[in-house]
Amino acid sequence: MTTTTLQNFSGNYTARRVKSSVFSSFASWCEGQQQNRLLWLGIALAGHGCILTPLTIMAVLLAGTNLALFMLAISAMAMALVTNLAALPTKITIPVFVLSILIDLGIIITTAFMGFSLSNTF
């Protein structure tokens, strides 16, 4: 009878890295921003409420006071305001804040294509 011998396999094992999507990496970054929640609250309220929304409303007024765009701009500001005042975690407030900024930028681009005129404000 012959004995069997154990052979050691010395192959190199490299784990395959799974590529994460942009959305999942953004979501994990948002969760990591929880300790900076008050900073994001200040940015959302001051930056969005005092700078971006008035610029968007001014662009809507200069393009001819379109009520739908005006309501959309106010709704975008309300989204950012309500989520921050409800003290929701940053994994919710930051994506809502980014979405509201994108909505405002879309409104500004739309009004730029409509054309700005000071005579449209009256």
Side-chain angles (χ1 to χ4, degrees):
M1 269 183 136
T2 61
T3 59
T4 59
T5 59
L6 295 175
Q7 295 180 353
N8 292 333
F9 294 104
S10 62
N12 292 335
Y13 176 74
T14 56
R16 244 186 352 166
R17 263 180 63 173
V18 178
K19 289 186 179 180
S20 61
S21 66
V22 174
F23 180 74
S24 65
S25 62
F26 178 69
S28 65
W29 177 80
C30 289
E31 288 179 16
Q33 290 295 312
Q34 187 63 34
Q35 68 270 13
N36 298 328
R37 187 176 58 85
L38 291 178
L39 173 70
W40 284 105
L41 173 74
I43 290 172
L45 294 182
H48 199 300
C50 297
I51 298 170
L52 192 59
T53 299
L55 286 175
T56 305
I57 297 299
M58 186 176 61
V60 169
L61 291 176
L62 287 175
T65 62
N66 188 344
L67 183 64
L69 293 177
F70 183 79
M71 295 295 289
L72 193 60
I74 297 299
S75 300
M77 176 58 200
M79 285 176 7
L81 181 71
V82 167
T83 56
N84 279 303
L85 291 181
L88 294 175
T90 55
K91 69 178 182 178
I92 296 172
T93 58
I94 294 175
V96 169
F97 176 57
V98 170
L99 177 66
S100 67
I101 288 175
L102 290 176
I103 289 172
D104 280 346
L105 291 177
I107 292 170
I108 291 172
I109 291 170
T110 302
T111 56
F113 282 124
M114 292 170 63
F116 298 127
S117 173
L118 200 55
S119 64
N120 289 340
T121 61
F122 298 109

